[in-house]
Amino acid sequence: MKGTLRLMSAAGALMLAATTAPAMAGTTADLLKRLHEKGILTDDEYQELLKGQATETPQAPAAAAPAPAVTPDASGGAGYVRMTDSGVGLQIGDVTLKFSGSVNGFYVHDNGDTPGPGKAVTGGVATVGGNSSAVRNGLLPGFLKVEASTSLDGWDVGAHFGMYPGINSVDYSAGGGANGAGNPRALQTAGIDFRQTYLTFGRAGFGEVKIGRDIGLFASEAILNDITLLSSGTPAGNVAPSNTTLGRIGTGYIYTDFQPQITYTTPSFSGFTASVGIFEPLSSLTGPAESNKQPGFQAKFVYDGKLGDVGTRIWVSGISQKHDVIAGPDYTGWGWDAGAKVSLGPVTVVGTYYDASGLGTTALNLFDTDGLGNKRDSHGFYLQGLATFGKISFGGSYGQSNLDYANSADALANPTLVDKNSSWVGQVRYGLNSWVTLLGEYINTRSQAHNGNKATSDAIAAGAILFF
């Protein structure tokens, strides 16, 4: 379709040249060349039109009305609007401005466990408190991403800004910022999470450098390949919903988060790429006070390729950071994860696993120590399948996250600490069109403490997500 539109535009330009200007040798060829240089015509389209122009029979120029006056725009005639692979692209001289985004909303009904003895799980993600219903965002809030890119002195450079507004009101007084507790009252306002602000520069053969705030490297593939990224997953806080649900965060992987960083990514070598970066150090969310002096380090290695008809994406990533505890022993938190995505025909299967020490569970550095600086170990995984037949897809997954005690004293002091969070997810998708996908989902979430306490909740979600 894009090629047809370009050919129609080029043909119109040729007709305009033929009817509004004197017949001059090379006029049409010059116009075609300009259209090609601007990127309106591809190489093949340019050669096709040039060949056709060369074989035309010259005709005497016909009388024509004077051409209308053209006022150059601020770009000196170089500005034009063009379609991009996604989003909306605006070309201004040598600079491309691109706008892309997403909006979603779901009706979520969460059937939480009945409160009572044996239900308390510290760090559990299953709902305790009875039934609730909400109209809310899923794992993704909405987002609007604005990018400006160009090529200067042989370098491809870009500025990137990502704003993520939710549809639910936020209680800023409770802390937590734009992703804090919800506030479902009149005359409130939604939160805008400004997750992305970064610059990039790179070129062929060199790779790319990223400086700013963006998604981390460790565990990023786990969430980006999770089917609940487009839907709800575990609701978490459905009575007063915040910007997002949990999806499979905490029931299969630790959330990668968006973090300040300086990251370098290599060019692709036969499908292999590597990324390494230094990161702003994060303090523990539940441990003793810290005064961290060294950056964190993360890395990721990815292979993308095909083995016959089988598409594969294989990854491994790692994270390490020293924590300088003000009143207690210092410790170094570390973790790694690995996974694979395999596609054959209509079926795609994903499997991931992570192992960590002093990293915690659900979020980075949540319950990572016993409160005295003694590290807790954690591990988890998820398995997932998705089958697509035309516009309809059926998916399912199971995952769990496990957290161990630091020592016997930790076990005595924290008997209700979560031992395992897990969930089953069943999902149906229908592609309404290239922008909108309708989704329905069932989620069973379970939390179990080390002392045997258990909580179980069931949820259903139905709604839609739009990307442009």
Side-chain angles (χ1 to χ4, degrees):
M1 176 63 74
K2 293 180 181 178
T4 301
L5 291 173
R6 284 193 294 262
L7 289 172
M8 291 173 64
S9 299
L14 294 178
M15 292 175 64
L16 183 63
T19 57
T20 62
M24 297 175 60
T27 298
T28 304
D30 290 342
L31 178 58
L32 287 173
K33 182 178 179 181
R34 290 189 63 192
L35 293 173
H36 177 243
E37 290 173 345
K38 286 177 176 289
I40 299 175
L41 294 176
T42 65
D43 293 341
D44 291 341
E45 293 164 350
Y46 171 59
Q47 294 298 334
E48 179 182 345
L49 288 172
L50 194 62
K51 180 179 178 182
Q53 186 267 336
T55 58
E56 290 177 356
T57 304
Q59 297 181 358
V70 178
T71 302
D73 59 20
S75 67
Y80 62 93
V81 177
R82 65 176 179 85
M83 295 180 66
T84 55
D85 292 337
S86 63
V88 178
L90 174 66
Q91 185 79 24
I92 306 176
D94 295 328
V95 178
T96 298
L97 290 178
K98 180 179 175 182
F99 304 86
S100 59
S102 178
V103 181
N104 74 80
F106 296 89
Y107 168 78
V108 178
H109 179 80
D110 190 14
N111 183 13
D113 217 335
T114 303
K119 304 296 183 180
V121 181
T122 303
V125 296
T127 303
V128 177
N131 299 341
S132 63
S133 294
V135 177
R136 60 179 303 176
N137 284 118
L139 177 52
L140 277 177
F143 71 82
L144 174 64
K145 191 171 184 182
V146 181
E147 299 172 281
S149 60
T150 189
S151 292
L152 294 171
D153 300 327
W155 291 90
D156 298 323
V157 300
H160 311 260
F161 306 91
M163 297 161 281
Y164 290 71
I167 65 174
N168 292 94
S169 299
V170 174
D171 185 0
Y172 284 100
S173 65
N179 290 321
N183 188 16
R185 294 180 175 86
L187 306 179
Q188 306 303 309
T189 184
I192 299 179
D193 178 2
F194 218 125
R195 297 186 183 185
Q196 294 171 301
T197 309
Y198 63 94
L199 66 89
T200 56
F201 62 89
R203 62 185 178 190
F206 170 82
E208 183 180 79
V209 174
K210 176 193 297 182
I211 303 175
R213 184 186 183 94
D214 195 21
I215 193 170
L217 299 177
F218 169 73
S220 60
E221 293 290 329
I223 190 171
L224 293 176
N225 289 286
D226 176 11
I227 58 173
T228 69
L229 183 65
L230 304 186
S231 56
S232 170
T234 299
N238 204 47
V239 172
S242 59
N243 263 8
T244 69
T245 61
L246 277 179
R248 186 165 284 293
I249 296 172
T251 56
Y253 53 83
I254 297 173
Y255 179 48
T256 178
D257 218 331
F258 288 74
Q259 305 169 57
Q261 60 188 273
I262 300 176
T263 299
Y264 166 72
T265 299
T266 69
S268 176
F269 299 103
S270 300
F272 288 93
T273 58
S275 301
V276 293
I278 57 175
F279 287 72
E280 170 70 15
L282 301 178
S283 296
S284 174
L285 289 166
T286 50
E290 300 175 10
S291 179
N292 297 319
K293 303 174 180 63
Q294 299 180 21
F297 301 93
Q298 297 186 31
K300 182 171 72 172
F301 304 89
V302 178
Y303 169 74
D304 263 313
K306 295 197 71 174
L307 301 173
D309 294 330
V310 180
T312 60
R313 183 175 178 87
I314 303 171
W315 64 87
V316 60
S317 69
I319 182 173
S320 177
Q321 183 197 312
K322 183 181 179 183
H323 293 257
D324 298 307
V325 180
I326 295 175
D330 296 342
Y331 67 97
T332 297
W334 60 265
W336 63 270
D337 89 322
K341 178 179 180 180
V342 179
S343 301
L344 178 61
V347 178
T348 299
V349 178
V350 177
T352 72
Y353 177 83
Y354 77 89
D355 189 65
S357 181
L359 209 61
T361 187
T362 307
L364 291 171
N365 306 312
L366 176 66
F367 302 116
D368 52 347
T369 76
D370 62 357
L372 299 175
N374 299 304
K375 296 190 297 183
R376 292 169 175 159
D377 295 339
S378 58
H379 62 278
F381 70 92
Y382 77 78
L383 297 173
Q384 170 184 290
L386 183 70
T388 301
F389 306 96
K391 290 191 170 186
I392 299 178
S393 299
F394 301 92
S397 67
Y398 172 79
Q400 65 181 52
S401 293
N402 302 272
L403 183 66
D404 299 333
Y405 280 128
N407 48 44
S408 57
D410 189 17
L412 292 174
N414 300 287
T416 63
L417 180 69
V418 63
D419 178 23
K420 179 173 70 175
N421 284 318
S422 63
S423 71
W424 289 93
V425 173
Q427 186 184 99
V428 179
R429 302 178 182 179
Y430 178 77
L432 188 66
N433 49 49
S434 61
W435 280 31
V436 178
T437 299
L438 309 180
L439 298 104
E441 194 171 67
Y442 165 75
I443 310 99
N444 172 263
T445 305
R446 301 182 181 185
S447 297
Q448 180 175 326
H450 281 275
N451 70 347
N453 286 4
K454 295 180 181 179
T456 301
S457 59
D458 297 280
I460 57 172
I465 188 167
L466 175 152
F467 289 95
F468 71 91

